[in-house]
Amino acid sequence: MHYLTDPWHLGFSRHALIAGFLAGALCGLVGVYVVLRRMSYIGHGLSHAIFGGAVASYAVNVNFYLGAGAWGFLSALLINGVSRRRQIGADAAIGVVTTASFAVGVALISHPHKFTLNPDAALFGNILGVTTNGLFVLLGVTIFVAAVVFFRYRQLLFITFDPEVADAYGVNSKRYDTLFALVMAATIVSTLQLLGVTLIAAIIVVPAIVARLVTDSFGKLVLTSAAVGASCSVVGVYLSYYNDIPSGATIVLVTAALFSVVFVVTALTARRRLSRLGADHGSADIGGGPSVHVG
Amino acid sequence: MHHPIIEFKDVSYTYGEGAVLDHISLTIPEGAFVGVVGPSGAGKTTMLRLISGTTKPAAGSVHVGSNSGKVRLAVVPQIEAIDWNFPVTVEEVVLLGRAADRRLVPWAPASARSEAAEIMSKLGIGELAHRHIRNLSGGQQQRAFIARALMRKPELLLLDEPTAGVDVKTRHDILHLLHSLNHEGIAIVLTTHDLNAVAAHLPSLVCINRRLIAMGTPQEVLTPDVLSQLYGADMIVIQQEGMLLIGDVPSAFKDEHARAQHSDRIPAAHFGEQPPPHQHGDETGHTHERGA
């Protein structure tokens, strides 16, 4: 039992557990829209783009959250704008915009300024080093994103499911694309230092995929994905605390392990159902369980 | 005298290379039931997008409105454009017809749910409300999206190829359903490749191939000349008991010589008794017309 309670006695690990819970729930929530819009690499791309924004903010002495947030928002808007051109898909738009933005960061960091960024923390995250300020920013962003999902649930569902005709039904797709870009940028900026540039994409995408494997209802998917993200992150923080492994890595490993288990169990369940139906009817045609598209 | 609900004035549209629609002018009256036909790439879907306002014309103007002002319209997309693995149930899709309602909470009010249930029941999919959209037949999928459109209480309903990929019975049922909706006062514009279906069910047609080729009743526009202009290929039109039947003419059958050679080379399939002796000439009693 003390394994569970010990981390709560220390300030830094208590902060880490709260941050893990919030970051996991936030990424799980946003991940549903990312996966269903077939933009799984936007998390990966935007975190790299925001790395450029973070370096630029540091170079001109602007607050990290403001500078990197504005940079990320602009990058997400550019991705939306580029992918609206029919010849260019969202994946190519993410590739162009985010690598260019990352390159700006690399160019700036190569400049003879004295940067004190910790490359390990930037790449793999350091949730155990979360500050009170960072925790409040994360709490604010989580409340903001949860409010957007709650109050604009039907409109976001429409532009995710059937964007081509959303405008004809009175849902302004451009406005909601812009709102989604803001949500994405705020999510990445508030979780970047905790989860790391290279691992954040997995924490956005995997909980949504796990949830997709167990439900066919959009409402249940949103709640399940947020719950999976939050619980995997908390377990990951515990593992990080006791094994001295970067928190981003442990959280990703826990989500990946859960995905593997759910994948195997749902596959076996579907096969058993198929053989039972085959035995009952001689032959059967089954639509199959829920399926997932990534990328 | 019906007022126009859709007016195209010298409308052109391009996606970058060449005109998709070229100087189209037409008027569709309130309460109309119109089929837009033409070959692939003729601009049929673009025409629907221009009517729905999701695309703006490059030149000219599109006016959609009734005597009483702005028209409430709804769009039923092509079935092929839908992600059938998307995690939504039939009821969730239908309730999206009210997505733009000013309501802060995510769940639909009881009044909308009972209205959705009523519409689904009317369209014969009431029992399928909680089923995932992938687990429906082609006709049921089409009805789910028509139900979503009806939730908007549309005065104008736009359907992009509603009869594509469904069997003959389902196609008949869908067109019959659209007929009923039209009788209730909803103006309907649909695109299709199915000339025989529109000839049998629709009172008026618009034939486009980037430019307007013809407009009128099926009897007026489904002629070999118009079809030849429309598709750039020979078509035959058969009239039987007031019905129009349209078929294409394979190039191998264009002349008697080629047809004779073809029938000599390829054995015919027969079931049951031995085939009758080969006969030349037309003994069907149908009136044939063939394009140039």
Side-chain angles (χ1 to χ4, degrees):
Chain A
M1 191 65 187
H2 65 92
Y3 277 105
L4 292 176
T5 55
D6 277 358
W8 291 94
H9 297 147
L10 298 168
F12 77 95
S13 52
R14 189 168 54 239
H15 278 181
L17 283 165
I18 296 169
F21 177 82
L22 291 173
L26 174 62
C27 290
L29 204 56
V30 171
V32 169
Y33 298 93
V34 169
V35 168
L36 293 176
R37 289 168 70 123
R38 313 271 174 101
M39 298 175 85
S40 294
Y41 270 88
I42 197 170
H44 195 70
L46 265 188
S47 60
H48 282 73
I50 286 170
F51 174 76
V55 175
S57 308
Y58 190 85
V60 295
N61 206 18
V62 170
N63 177 280
F64 164 79
Y65 291 109
L66 288 178
W71 191 286
F73 180 47
L74 191 67
S75 300
L77 284 181
L78 274 172
I79 290 168
N80 276 345
V82 173
S83 61
R84 272 182 184 272
R85 287 278 295 271
R86 289 182 179 274
Q87 303 97 317
I88 304 169
D91 54 345
I94 292 167
V96 171
V97 173
T98 59
T99 49
S101 184
F102 184 65
V104 170
V106 172
L108 281 173
I109 213 165
S110 310
H111 203 261
H113 280 288
K114 280 187 184 281
F115 283 97
T116 54
L117 289 171
N118 175 358
D120 279 357
L123 290 174
F124 307 119
N126 181 18
I127 209 165
L128 297 174
V130 65
T131 61
T132 309
N133 190 26
L135 202 56
F136 276 116
V137 169
L138 180 59
L139 179 64
V141 169
T142 307
I143 291 171
F144 165 69
V145 172
V148 167
V149 170
F150 185 84
F151 293 120
R152 291 289 174 262
Y153 174 85
R154 285 168 301 147
Q155 292 88 342
L156 287 172
L157 170 57
F158 207 133
I159 63 154
T160 307
F161 175 51
D162 199 1
E164 283 282 312
V165 303
D167 289 285
Y169 281 78
V171 178
N172 187 326
S173 59
K174 273 188 185 165
R175 186 190 298 162
Y176 285 101
D177 278 347
T178 305
L179 183 63
F180 186 69
L182 185 63
V183 162
M184 277 307 300
T187 300
I188 305 280
V189 167
S190 62
T191 55
L192 188 64
Q193 290 176 320
L194 315 177
L195 305 171
V197 168
T198 52
L199 302 173
I200 201 166
I203 301 159
I204 287 176
V205 170
V206 181
I209 299 175
V210 171
R212 182 67 190 94
L213 287 170
V214 296
T215 182
D216 260 344
S217 160
F218 187 77
K220 287 177 190 164
L221 180 71
V222 170
L223 294 174
T224 310
S225 180
V228 166
S231 45
C232 285
S233 295
V234 169
V235 172
V237 172
Y238 272 107
L239 289 177
S240 171
Y241 177 83
Y242 284 114
N243 297 292
D244 199 21
I245 300 170
S247 48
T250 53
I251 294 170
V252 170
L253 287 173
V254 171
T255 53
L258 181 66
F259 167 74
S260 306
V261 170
V262 173
F263 185 82
V264 170
V265 169
T266 50
L268 289 176
T269 309
R271 184 179 290 184
R272 202 171 303 137
R273 201 170 54 209
L274 185 67
S275 55
R276 200 181 308 139
L277 273 173
D280 288 348
H281 304 292
S283 65
D285 179 19
I286 291 185
S291 57
V292 176
H293 292 277
V294 182
Chain B
M1 175 69 187
H2 288 288
H3 290 91
I5 195 168
I6 300 165
E7 264 187 297
F8 275 53
K9 285 185 183 166
D10 208 21
V11 171
S12 295
Y13 190 80
T14 175
Y15 287 114
E17 284 177 21
V20 176
L21 291 176
D22 190 9
H23 298 286
I24 300 249
S25 294
L26 57 85
T27 301
I28 294 174
E30 282 178 345
F33 188 8
V34 178
V36 181
V37 296
S40 298
K44 301 187 294 297
T45 300
T46 302
M47 194 173 204
L48 288 195
R49 285 193 183 129
L50 287 165
I51 296 170
S52 68
T54 51
T55 296
K56 303 291 174 208
S61 67
V62 177
H63 177 72
V64 179
S66 67
N67 210 20
S68 53
K70 210 175 171 187
V71 160
R72 198 169 41 251
L73 62 83
V75 180
V76 178
Q78 269 187 53
I79 288 296
E80 284 81 4
I82 300 297
D83 174 6
W84 295 105
N85 284 313
F86 196 97
V88 277
T89 61
V90 173
E91 187 186 42
E92 283 175 321
V93 169
V94 175
L95 287 169
L96 280 179
R98 291 284 174 79
D101 283 4
R102 290 186 183 280
R103 189 175 167 81
L104 285 178
V105 292
W107 50 88
S111 58
R113 294 179 87 94
S114 67
E115 199 178 324
E118 198 178 308
I119 291 172
M120 285 188 283
S121 173
K122 180 182 166 186
L123 300 192
I125 51 170
E127 303 292 310
L128 311 173
H130 301 293
R131 199 179 275 191
H132 185 267
I133 52 168
R134 182 188 53 241
N135 299 327
L136 303 177
S137 69
Q140 289 165 342
Q141 289 174 340
Q142 196 63 253
R143 282 161 192 270
F145 281 85
I146 293 174
R148 180 181 74 175
L150 294 183
M151 280 296 282
R152 218 169 130 67
K153 297 187 183 2
E155 296 156 83
L156 173 60
L157 183 57
L158 308 173
L159 303 101
D160 200 0
E161 302 200 17
T163 55
V166 295
D167 60 48
V168 177
K169 165 80 167 60
T170 307
R171 184 179 67 196
H172 177 82
D173 289 347
I174 289 169
L175 290 171
H176 189 73
L177 168 67
L178 295 177
H179 246 299
S180 310
L181 296 174
N182 181 244
H183 280 211
E184 290 170 20
I186 301 172
I188 295 176
V189 179
L190 62 86
T191 66
T192 184
H193 284 285
D194 195 338
L195 293 174
N196 287 307
V198 294
H201 290 90
L202 269 64
S204 50
L205 298 180
V206 172
C207 302
I208 59 166
N209 190 357
R210 298 171 189 263
R211 59 191 179 81
L212 183 65
I213 305 289
M215 190 172 174
T217 65
Q219 299 284 347
E220 288 166 347
V221 302
L222 293 179
T223 64
D225 279 349
V226 169
L227 293 171
S228 176
Q229 280 185 63
L230 194 58
Y231 293 99
D234 290 349
M235 310 280 278
I236 53 170
V237 179
I238 304 166
Q239 289 203 32
Q240 187 182 25
E241 295 169 8
M243 273 179 58
L244 285 175
L245 297 168
I246 295 103
D248 60 346
V249 185
S251 54
F253 288 79
K254 271 185 182 171
D255 56 69
E256 289 293 326
H257 178 68
R259 185 162 44 183
Q261 279 188 329
H262 192 83
S263 56
D264 287 346
R265 277 204 313 272
I266 301 174
H270 296 283
F271 297 90
E273 293 177 7
Q274 281 299 306
H278 182 75
Q279 292 177 328
H280 285 285
D282 182 3
E283 295 184 357
T284 59
H286 300 159
T287 309
H288 283 217
E289 294 178 68
R290 184 181 299 169

